[in-house]
Amino acid sequence: MIVERRVELRFGRESREAETHTNLSAVRQDGRCLWVAGDETATIERLTAELDGDGRVTGYAAQETVALADLVPLPAGPDEEADIEGLARANGWLWAIGSHSLKRKKIKPGQRDAKARKRLATVVREDNRFVLVRLPLATGADGLPHVVREDGGRTAAVLGLDKDSITDLLAGDPHLAPFLAIPSKDNGLDIEGVAAHGDRLYIGLRGPVLRGWAVLVEIRPDTHPDDPRRLRALPVGDGGDRYRTHFLDLGGLGIRDLCPHGDDLLVLTGPSMDLDGPVRLVRWPGAARADAAEIVTADELEVLGELPYGDGDDHAEGIAVLDEPGAPGTRLLVVYDSPSPDRLTDRGGVVADVIRLPE
């Protein structure tokens, strides 16, 4: 796929010090604004578009930070990262989801033998990673969307406070339960994308990949009847199950992000393990239909093209349809984790790619 142009995303000093701009993991457009998140904090950032005379986006700036702990309770408190890996927006709500993954400690540079072996044997659970957050959006006096704690009868709410996280939901699943105790980079469970359509959320798993098949989990979250600040999973379909799994033949790759496009899902794919590529963009036609298949073969998917990646850097992590009125065709904004040095600007920004989808 050809990169049509690049746009700069500029961040404030605190976010640069937290390295949010070099750890971008999720993105979603909202009118003139862009919601983004990094995987090293428990915050969401809002950027506002800068436009040229034709209404095309030339960059995003005027960053505002939203701390999740100011809106919902977090199981590990406000200071621990939430490893936000997906953002979704629909029906006046902004959704944020953590990776729900365990992590194995890395060997530090210069470490050898006993210390290195000890670190590789250490698996850590960080409870803030195991949350799904739903936030009300309201239009402010400036005409821009703002995240609020309450808006009329709508309240910020969270799933994952009391043994009710998505991993708890999957604890008896015949395919996924064996992977819940495995760290993400070892092909364990690792959420890396979410898309909203109607009352459904579609959750993409980077891992596990099962004999070449990637996994997508479909749920129906709603307000808990006993506490408006909590969510619960409603039954999906007629059988009473509170989730549904879909298996996609992505040629051995996992799901790195999801983005709705009408009734279709755009799927950013990449390796489940600690590898650079390949990275592909795939369309799943009709994914949001009620009768969407649970086994989706390669010939039912449309490969739109390959995305660039670097050697240890430029890992495509987030995609969002870029709505530019008057511009023909559909464009996609792609943000990168671990950006290469040439993506970093002197103004405290990082460069994202704009790609035009094939007709």
Side-chain angles (χ1 to χ4, degrees):
M1 300 185 73
I2 298 175
V3 176
E4 184 179 83
R5 67 183 194 275
R6 289 180 159 187
V7 297
E8 181 187 18
L9 280 57
R10 294 203 302 278
F11 292 81
R13 177 180 58 82
E14 289 188 6
S15 289
R16 296 198 304 271
E17 290 177 352
E19 299 184 337
T20 297
H21 66 312
T22 61
N23 289 285
L24 294 179
S25 56
V27 60
R28 194 63 81 233
Q29 189 189 31
D30 191 354
R32 287 173 52 202
C33 293
L34 203 67
W35 299 103
V36 299
D39 57 15
E40 299 291 335
T41 68
T43 64
I44 298 170
E45 321 301 329
R46 194 199 69 183
L47 304 173
T48 303
E50 300 171 325
L51 307 176
D52 64 15
D54 297 323
R56 291 199 325 166
V57 174
T58 59
Y60 288 91
Q63 177 207 356
E64 291 192 7
T65 296
V66 177
L68 294 181
D70 291 342
L71 300 163
V72 296
L74 295 177
D79 297 325
E80 184 178 292
E81 71 175 56
D83 196 21
I84 298 300
E85 291 287 354
L87 295 172
R89 182 186 59 83
N91 304 322
W93 300 103
L94 181 68
W95 298 85
I97 194 166
S99 65
H100 288 67
S101 66
L102 304 175
K103 68 177 183 181
R104 188 180 301 279
K105 287 194 173 183
K106 298 179 181 179
I107 297 176
K108 292 182 178 180
Q111 282 186 329
R112 299 189 62 182
D113 301 332
K115 287 186 178 181
R117 291 169 61 87
K118 183 178 180 180
R119 287 189 66 84
L120 274 183
T122 303
V123 175
V124 178
R125 175 189 169 104
E126 297 175 345
D127 287 340
N128 279 359
R129 291 172 170 236
F130 292 77
V131 296
L132 169 68
V133 178
R134 186 189 68 182
L135 305 171
L137 292 170
T139 302
D142 56 4
L144 300 178
H146 293 260
V147 168
V148 295
R149 183 179 291 134
E150 295 182 0
D151 180 43
R154 302 185 307 142
T155 304
V158 60
L159 181 71
L161 292 179
D162 186 22
K163 297 183 179 179
D164 61 354
S165 71
I166 292 168
T167 51
D168 293 306
L169 198 64
L170 300 173
D173 186 86
H175 300 98
L176 299 177
F179 295 89
L180 299 183
I182 300 175
S184 58
K185 299 303 185 288
D186 300 349
N187 201 39
L189 189 129
D190 188 9
I191 292 173
E192 285 223 1
V194 64
H197 191 282
D199 65 348
R200 308 295 174 99
L201 286 185
Y202 300 88
I203 298 166
L205 305 186
R206 176 178 178 176
V209 173
L210 306 179
R211 201 174 178 89
W213 293 78
V215 188
L216 183 147
V217 179
E218 177 185 348
I219 64 172
R220 289 179 61 214
D222 198 8
T223 305
H224 197 288
D226 297 330
D227 186 350
R229 300 190 70 190
R230 291 177 56 195
L231 297 169
R232 62 172 177 168
L234 297 179
V236 177
D238 300 328
D241 295 330
R242 292 186 295 153
Y243 70 93
R244 183 160 65 138
T245 50
H246 303 266
F247 298 89
L248 283 64
D249 183 359
L250 298 177
L253 299 178
I255 298 172
R256 304 301 290 268
D257 199 15
L258 298 169
C259 182
H261 190 216
D263 284 341
D264 303 342
L265 275 181
L266 301 177
V267 185
L268 178 65
T269 74
S272 63
M273 310 297 275
D274 193 14
L275 301 170
D276 290 320
V279 181
R280 299 187 185 106
L281 185 66
V282 175
R283 184 192 303 276
W284 178 13
R289 294 197 305 258
D291 61 348
E294 295 184 357
I295 299 293
V296 187
T297 60
D299 60 1
E300 297 173 285
L301 299 166
E302 179 186 358
V303 177
L304 300 176
E306 303 268 345
L307 290 176
Y309 60 90
D311 182 5
D313 55 26
D314 276 356
H315 300 144
E317 286 276 341
I319 55 174
V321 171
L322 190 61
D323 183 15
E324 295 180 302
T330 301
R331 286 163 179 79
L332 206 64
L333 184 73
V334 184
V335 298
Y336 295 83
D337 190 5
S338 303
S340 57
D342 70 331
R343 287 190 182 274
L344 303 177
T345 71
D346 295 336
R347 298 191 294 177
V350 63
V351 173
D353 291 338
V354 177
I355 294 171
R356 182 168 176 176
L357 298 185
E359 298 296 336

